[in-house]
Amino acid sequence: MAAPVKIISIFGTRPEAIKMAPVIKLLEREKSFSHKTILTGQHEEMLTQVLDIFSLKADYNLKLMEPEQRLADLTARCITGLTEIIQSEKPALILVHGDTTTTLTASLAAFYQQIPLGHVEAGLRTGDKYSPFPEEINRSLTDRLADLHFAPTGLNQDNLREEGIVAEKIFITGNTVIDAVQEIVGEDYALPEELPLSAVDFQRKKVILLTAHRRENLGANMKNIFLAAREIIEKHQETELIFPVHLNPKVRRIAEEFLAGEERIHLLKPLDYLTFINLVHKSYLVLTDSGGIQEEAPGLGVPVVLLRETTERPEAIKAGVVKKAGTDRDRIISLTSRLINDKDFYQSTAEKANPYGDGRAARRIKNVLLEHFNFAQDVFTPFSIE
Ligand code: UD1
Ligand code: UDP
C-alpha cells in the first residue's frame, strides 16, 4: 500500500472550527492520509468551546489572540508563525476554510512554501470589497491562491467560474455546516439547567435570538441594531431576547450600554455549539449579522432577520426563510414586528429550506481528495438541491 499522504488543516476561529470539524474527523479516520491540525488561535475561549464539543485535538496552537487585535498585526503574526510549522512539516496539501484572517494568511503561507491549497467554502461573494470587511477580499484572494475549490452551492461555483477558475478545480460539495448541524441537533434536547434562562418560557413566549459581531457593523450600525432590538422587546410584551454576546470588547461595550437592565433581555456569554444550535431550534426567530447562522437556521425552519446590507448567501433569501433588514433601525423594527404580529407572514417564512447542503459535504471533500491523490476513482458526486 502507498504511504499515507500528509494533509494539514489550518484554522483559528469559532466558525472555521465548526465547519472543519466534520472534514477533519473523516480525514483522521482515512488510512490513505496522515492528517494534522494547526490552530492559529486567532480566537481563544470561543475556539476551545468548539474543539471540546467535537472532541478535536490540535497538533499545533500558535495562541495568537490578543485583546482587540488589529488586522495588520494579527496578519503578520499568523504568516510568520504558520510558515515555520509548514516548513518543518512539508505537507502535500493544506486545507483552509472560509474568509478569516487565519484563512488568508494560511493560504499565503502555503503559497510562499509552494504547497498546494484546498479551500473549503469557496466562491461566496457579495461583490462589495468592503462588505463584509475584510472577509470579501480574504475569500477572493484565497480562491485566487487555491488549487482545489470546495464550493458549497452551484451559485458559488458560478462565482468562481466568472473569476476564471477552471471547472476541473471546482467541486460542489454542500456546506459542511449542515453536516455539523445534523450531528448536533436533537429533537428532545433540553437546555442545560445552569444556563441563566430559567425565566424564559419557550412555549408561551416568542423568543428572539440575537447575534452581532461584524467589523463593518461596529459603532453606529451596531448601536442601531441594539436600539431596534430593545424597542422590539419593549413594544411586544410576548417576546424575550437572548443575546450570547461575542467576546470582542467592542461588541460587549455597546451591548452593555444599550441592552442591559431590561428584564426580558438576556445577555449571555458565547454559548457552546451544542447549546447554541439547539437554542436556534427552540427560538421563534433569529436576528443576526452572522454568516454561518444564515445557513443553519433555514434548515431548522427558523426565520432570520438579516442585520447586514449585503450577503454572500442569497440562496436562503430566495427560499424565503431569510429576510434582509440591513442595519436601519426602522427597517429592523418593522420587519421583525411583522414576523411577530402577522401569523400568515410568519408561517410562510418559517418553511424549512436546505439550499446549503445535505449533510454529506465532508464526505464529498474526502472523496475529492482521494481522487486527487489517486487513491480512488469516480467517487465524487456533486451536491445538488434538486
Ligand atoms: C473574526 C473573523 C470573522 C468571523 C468572526 C467569528 C476575521 C477578519 N474576522 O471576527 O470573519 O465572523 O471572527 O466570530 O478574521 N475575543 C476574545 N476571545 C475569543 C475570541 C475573540 O476575547 O475567543 C476578542 C478579542 O479581544 C479579539 C476580538 O474579540 O481581539 C476580535 O477577534 P477577531 O478574531 O479579530 O474578530 P473579528 O475580526 O471581528
Ligand atoms: N455560535 C455558537 N455560539 C454562540 C453563537 C454562535 O456556537 O454563542 C455558532 C453558530 O451556530 C455558527 C457560528 O458560531 O455556526 C457562527 O459564528 P460567528 O457568527 O461568530 O461567525 P460567522 O459565521 O459570521 O463567520
Side-chain angles (χ1 to χ4, degrees):
M1 195 181 150
V5 164
K6 188 189 282 187
I7 296 179
I8 290 188
S9 296
I10 303 178
F11 56 93
T13 68
R14 170 172 70 188
E16 294 163 81
I18 291 168
K19 292 168 164 185
M20 283 304 286
V23 179
I24 290 171
K25 281 189 174 177
L26 286 189
L27 294 185
E28 283 184 343
R29 269 188 249 139
E30 177 55 60
K31 290 194 175 58
S32 303
F33 301 130
S34 86
H35 180 270
K36 289 197 173 176
T37 298
I38 306 177
L39 307 177
T40 59
Q42 175 177 339
H43 284 178
E44 202 174 67
E45 306 92 311
M46 286 162 53
L47 181 60
T48 313
Q49 279 182 324
V50 183
L51 302 180
D52 291 348
I53 289 289
F54 288 102
S55 307
L56 290 180
K57 299 251 178 307
D59 297 281
Y60 298 90
N61 188 347
L62 294 170
K63 298 193 175 178
L64 293 180
M65 197 203 85
E66 283 183 359
E68 306 201 41
Q69 57 207 357
R70 293 190 316 175
L71 290 176
D73 303 326
L74 178 65
T75 299
R77 288 183 289 123
C78 278
I79 297 185
T80 310
L82 288 172
T83 297
E84 281 178 27
I85 304 173
I86 294 170
Q87 263 175 339
S88 75
E89 285 285 349
K90 297 188 178 51
L93 181 89
I94 286 177
L95 283 179
V96 294
H97 180 278
D99 52 22
T100 69
T101 298
T102 293
T103 315
L104 176 60
T105 54
S107 304
L108 266 176
F111 170 64
Y112 291 154
Q113 299 306 311
Q114 301 188 19
I115 309 273
L117 182 71
H119 186 199
V120 180
E121 201 177 88
L124 280 68
R125 297 288 185 273
T126 62
D128 182 339
K129 183 176 174 183
Y130 291 109
S131 181
F133 173 83
E135 289 83 0
E136 176 72 0
I137 290 300
N138 285 352
R139 57 194 172 216
S140 307
L141 296 178
T142 299
D143 280 326
R144 186 73 187 86
L145 294 167
D147 302 281
L148 299 173
H149 300 81
F150 300 106
T153 70
L155 176 69
N156 304 147
Q157 172 187 247
D158 296 345
N159 292 337
L160 292 166
R161 296 285 291 125
E162 273 175 30
E163 292 173 12
I165 309 284
V166 295
E168 293 70 35
K169 291 184 171 185
I170 307 172
F171 304 89
I172 305 177
T173 57
N175 199 305
T176 55
V177 80
I178 306 299
D179 305 26
V181 172
Q182 288 185 1
E183 185 183 331
I184 292 288
V185 168
E187 286 300 328
D188 48 7
Y189 175 85
L191 292 172
E193 281 179 12
E194 62 273 20
L195 208 63
L197 292 177
S198 53
V200 181
D201 185 339
F202 284 85
Q203 305 304 325
R204 290 162 194 245
K205 289 292 180 79
K206 290 179 174 165
V207 175
I208 299 175
L209 185 60
L210 168 68
T211 83
H213 74 282
R214 299 241 79 83
R215 277 179 186 256
E216 70 274 14
N217 278 347
L218 294 173
N221 288 347
M222 205 159 280
K223 187 175 152 186
N224 284 342
I225 291 170
F226 294 165
L227 283 171
R230 192 175 183 111
E231 196 169 325
I232 291 161
I233 297 305
E234 285 169 354
K235 226 162 91 179
H236 301 279
Q237 293 300 314
E238 72 277 35
T239 59
E240 302 262 350
L241 184 83
I242 301 176
F243 180 12
V245 186
H246 197 281
L247 290 181
N248 188 340
K250 291 191 177 114
V251 178
R252 296 171 68 81
R253 281 194 288 267
I254 317 178
E256 277 295 322
E257 186 178 348
F258 294 101
L259 289 173
E262 156 68 54
E263 207 184 337
R264 284 181 293 110
I265 295 181
H266 309 271
L267 301 182
L268 308 178
K269 292 191 178 133
L271 297 168
D272 67 71
Y273 190 54
L274 177 67
T275 307
F276 182 79
I277 205 70
N278 283 289
L279 195 55
V280 173
H281 197 204
K282 283 174 174 293
S283 295
Y284 182 78
L285 64 83
V286 178
L287 298 177
T288 192
D289 67 2
S290 164
I293 299 169
Q294 290 176 67
E295 296 155 344
E296 294 162 335
L300 301 171
V302 179
V304 173
V305 174
L306 185 60
L307 308 170
R308 292 169 52 179
E309 299 299 339
T310 62
T311 182
E312 58 290 298
R313 296 165 167 94
E315 294 91 341
I317 292 188
K318 200 168 158 210
V321 63
V322 174
K323 306 279 181 209
K324 186 158 77 74
T327 55
D328 178 77
R329 188 172 157 188
D330 292 337
R331 265 191 290 149
I332 298 168
I333 295 171
S334 67
L335 187 54
T336 310
S337 296
R338 193 169 166 213
L339 282 165
I340 294 168
N341 293 330
D342 183 339
K343 215 170 163 187
D344 292 340
F345 181 57
Y346 181 83
Q347 288 305 344
S348 69
T349 308
E351 292 287 335
K352 283 192 185 178
N354 243 332
Y356 297 113
D358 57 3
R360 289 184 297 166
R363 244 175 293 173
R364 291 192 181 91
I365 292 168
K366 184 191 81 173
N367 286 343
V368 170
L369 295 174
L370 285 172
E371 283 191 31
H372 181 77
F373 289 107
N374 297 318
F375 289 112
Q377 278 184 343
D378 298 328
V379 283
F380 177 73
T381 46
F383 165 65
S384 151
I385 42 175
E386 266 74 58

